[in-house]
Amino acid sequence: MTTAPPAPRVDSRILGWVVLGGALGTAARAALVFPWQTGTDDATLAVPLVTLVINLVGAFALGLVVGVLGPRHPSARAFLGTGVLGGFTTYSAFAVQTVTVSSWSTWLSVGLALVSVAIGFALAGVGVRCGRRLGARRDEVDAPEEAE
C-alpha cells in the first residue's frame, strides 16, 4: 500500500497578498457596477454591459501582468493577477447575467457570451505580448533613434 505524498504547504505571505489584492479588486468592481444597479427595468442591460467591459479590461490586464512578470516575482503575480484581477473580473456574475439576459433575448445572451469569451481571449493574448515586450525592455535604455 502506497501513501499519497503530502500536500504542498501554502505560503501564508502569498495567501495574504492574494486576499489583499482580491479585496481591492472586488471593491473596484463594486464601485464600477454599483452606480448602474438602479433596480429599474430600463437599466437592466447596463449591469451586464459594465460587467462585460470589466471582464475585457481585466483579461487584457491579466495578460499584461503575466507577460511583464513571467515566472518572476511570485508575490507580485499573486497580488496583481490572482488577487486584484481575480477579484476585479468575475465569471460568476458573467454567468448569471448571461442567463438573465437569455430570458429577454436568446440571441443577445449568446452574443454577450461569445463577445466576452472571444474578445477576452484575444485581449489576454494581446496583453501577454505587450507585457513580454515591456518586461524584456524594462532594464534597457532606448537608443535615441528609438525613443521617438
Side-chain angles (χ1 to χ4, degrees):
M1 182 170 144
T2 61
T3 59
R9 288 183 41 118
V10 174
D11 184 339
S12 59
R13 292 171 297 172
I14 299 289
L15 183 59
W17 284 117
V18 170
V19 169
L20 177 62
L24 293 173
T26 301
R29 182 184 71 240
L32 293 171
V33 172
F34 182 74
W36 299 98
Q37 293 178 324
T38 63
T40 61
D41 288 336
D42 61 345
T44 51
L45 192 56
V47 172
L49 291 177
V50 170
T51 300
L52 172 67
V53 170
I54 287 170
N55 286 341
L56 295 178
V57 168
F60 174 78
L62 182 57
L64 197 62
V65 166
V66 168
V68 167
L69 297 178
R72 305 177 314 254
H73 309 292
S75 294
R77 282 193 340 258
F79 173 73
L80 292 171
T82 307
V84 173
L85 294 171
F88 183 65
T89 61
T90 174
Y91 178 79
S92 58
F94 157 71
V96 168
Q97 291 165 7
T98 302
V99 169
T100 301
V101 170
S102 72
S103 68
W104 313 325
S105 167
T106 302
W107 291 110
L108 183 58
S109 175
V110 169
L112 181 66
L114 288 175
V115 166
S116 185
V117 173
I119 304 299
F121 180 79
L123 286 172
V126 170
V128 168
R129 283 191 293 281
C130 290
R132 285 183 181 156
R133 285 187 178 156
L134 290 171
R137 297 177 53 111
R138 182 177 306 148
D139 298 328
E140 298 175 19
V141 176
D142 286 336
E145 62 272 6
E146 293 178 17
E148 297 178 348

